[in-house]
Amino acid sequence: MEMLYKTTTLKNLPMHNVFNRTCIFEPVVKNNQSLLRKREYSDTVYKVLIEGCYLNCSVDYPLFAILIAQYINNVIDEVDNPIITTIPLSIIVDSIGVSGAGNRDANFKKIYGSLARLENTKISYMNQISKKVVEGTLIINSDLDFKNKSLTVHFTQLILDLYNLESIKESEVKFMNIQQLTEIDTEGAKALYKFLVTQSKGYIDFTFERLSMVLGYHYRTVAGKRNAKPEERKIPLKDSKKRGYIKEALNILKSNGMIADFHYYAKLGHYRMLQTEYYPDIVQDIDIHKLKSNIKQIKQVKFKKSKSAQDDDFPFDPKNN
C-alpha cells in the first residue's frame, strides 16, 4: 500500500483516525490520570469501547504517535518482527520533554506513567461501514533502556489489524504534525486540534453534541455536595461548562493561527470552525456566515448508509442567522 510511507520527522506521523476522531485520547486533568474509565463512543463511522486508563493529549498521544510511526517504518523496511518497536530516548526528550538531561530513570517519570496507561488501556473498535471488528491493548512489554538510550515496546494484533498495509484506506489515516500539537498550550486545545485537522475543507460545521463526545466532555462528571453518597457524586458536567471548555480551546487555536475564525450558533447548537490552512484570507465575523454548510451533505451520506445517526443534525441556512 503506497499510501503509508517512512517518516523521519515529527511533522507527518501516520495516526489512524480512530485515535483522532474519538475520545480514546481526551483532555485529562491531572487528578484523573490515575483513574479508570469504561465507556462507549459511537458515530456513523466509529464504534469504540474503551476500557482502562484515561489517555491524555500532552504525553500519551504524541508518545503513541512516535511509536506507531516507527512501527510503520519497520514494516516498510521489512525488518524481522516489526511489532517490536524501538526508538531513541532523544526523540522523547526533544518532542515531549522530560526534566533534566534525559539519561536518568527519575527524569522519565512522566514517560513511565504514560507507558503504564497505554499498556493498561484496551479498545474494541468496529468500523460502522465495513463492520470489521478489532480489539486489544495499545502496547505491551515496554522497556526503557538507559544503557542503550532507547525505548522498546511491543505492539499487539490490534495495531497490526488497524495498520494493515494491504487494506488500509487513505481516509482512515491522517499524517499528524506532532511537533505542532506539542506546542499547543492546553489539553482541550490539543484534543480539538487532533480532531479538526482530520477534516477536509468542506467540513466546517459540527454539532455541540458531537464535539462534546469527541473531546470526552459528554462523559465527564463532577462531585456533588461534600457529604453526598458516592453514587451522588457522579453528576454530569453542565452543558454550559462543556461549551466553556470548547470556546477556550477554539480561542487558543485561533490565537495560534490554526483557526482563522469560528462561531457558535446557539439556537442551532452547532459550531462553525474555519481552518487557516483552507481559509487564510477571510474577513473576520463576516465571511464565516457566507459559506455553505456541510450538514446537508452529512444527511445525504446518512441516508445512503441506512440512515445511521452521526449527530442530531439540523437544517442550516446562513441567511437566517
Side-chain angles (χ1 to χ4, degrees), residues 240-270:
S240 59
K241 282 284 188 180
K242 300 173 190 176
R243 288 192 293 269
Y245 290 140
I246 293 171
K247 183 178 180 180
E248 178 187 39
L250 285 166
N251 278 323
I252 290 173
L253 295 184
K254 187 176 181 180
S255 67
N256 288 355
M258 298 169 190
I259 290 179
D261 203 2
F262 70 88
H263 186 82
Y264 176 57
Y265 295 92
K267 291 184 179 180
L268 300 175
H270 89 283

Side-chain angles (χ1 to χ4, degrees), residues 84-306:
I84 302 176
T85 298
T86 301
I87 59 173
L89 292 185
S90 59
I91 294 180
I92 301 175
V93 175
D94 294 340
S95 61
I96 300 172
V98 296
S99 60
N103 57 8
R104 295 193 310 115
D105 185 274
N107 293 337
F108 280 78
K109 183 178 179 180
K110 68 164 67 172
I111 304 303
Y112 277 119
S114 180
L115 292 170
R117 291 189 293 273
L118 291 169
E119 286 186 0
N120 287 283
T121 298
K122 177 182 178 181
I123 69 169
S124 177
Y125 158 59
M126 181 177 75
N127 185 300
Q128 300 272 50
I129 300 172
S130 68
K131 302 304 180 183
K132 180 181 179 180
V133 178
V134 296
E135 61 181 8
T137 55
L138 299 182
I139 63 171
I140 57 174
N141 301 332
S142 61
D143 178 43
L144 273 171
D145 184 345
F146 292 98
K147 180 179 179 180
N148 294 308
K149 297 184 179 181
S150 64
L151 165 63
T152 298
V153 304
H154 294 224
F155 282 114
T156 65
Q157 189 63 41
L158 168 74
I159 301 304
L160 274 68
D161 290 338
L162 286 177
Y163 287 90
N164 185 324
L165 270 63
E166 299 300 321
S167 61
I168 195 167
K169 299 178 181 178
E170 184 175 359
S171 61
E172 294 179 309
V173 174
K174 173 68 177 180
F175 284 85
M176 301 295 290
N177 188 335
I178 297 301
Q179 180 176 317
Q180 189 173 55
L181 179 139
T182 57
E183 294 170 354
I184 298 171
D185 290 337
T186 68
E187 278 279 305
K190 291 176 195 288
L192 181 57
Y193 168 85
K194 74 177 178 63
F195 167 75
L196 188 58
V197 296
T198 68
Q199 308 297 327
S200 60
K201 182 177 181 178
Y203 281 78
I204 58 177
D205 293 333
F206 307 94
T207 64
F208 165 69
E209 181 181 4
R210 186 183 185 196
L211 288 182
S212 294
M213 292 177 64
V214 168
L215 301 178
Y217 299 136
H218 173 79
Y219 311 92
R220 187 172 295 184
T221 58
V222 295
K225 56 186 179 181
R226 181 177 301 177
N227 298 321
K229 298 177 182 178
E231 62 271 17
E232 296 174 335
R233 295 174 186 169
K234 298 295 184 180
I235 299 175
L237 193 67
K238 291 183 179 180
D239 284 352
S240 59
K241 282 284 188 180
K242 300 173 190 176
R243 288 192 293 269
Y245 290 140
I246 293 171
K247 183 178 180 180
E248 178 187 39
L250 285 166
N251 278 323
I252 290 173
L253 295 184
K254 187 176 181 180
S255 67
N256 288 355
M258 298 169 190
I259 290 179
D261 203 2
F262 70 88
H263 186 82
Y264 176 57
Y265 295 92
K267 291 184 179 180
L268 300 175
H270 89 283
Y271 291 84
R272 171 163 286 192
M273 299 177 283
L274 306 184
Q275 297 183 62
T276 304
E277 176 186 0
Y278 302 129
Y279 303 95
D281 302 314
I282 64 166
V283 178
Q284 291 287 307
D285 300 321
I286 296 177
D287 290 347
I288 191 169
H289 304 295
K290 299 178 181 179
L291 299 170
K292 182 180 179 181
S293 175
N294 56 275
I295 297 298
K296 184 177 181 181
Q297 297 169 12
I298 292 174
K299 282 189 172 182
Q300 291 172 346
V301 171
K302 288 195 294 185
F303 179 79
K304 292 177 182 178
K305 295 173 183 173
S306 302

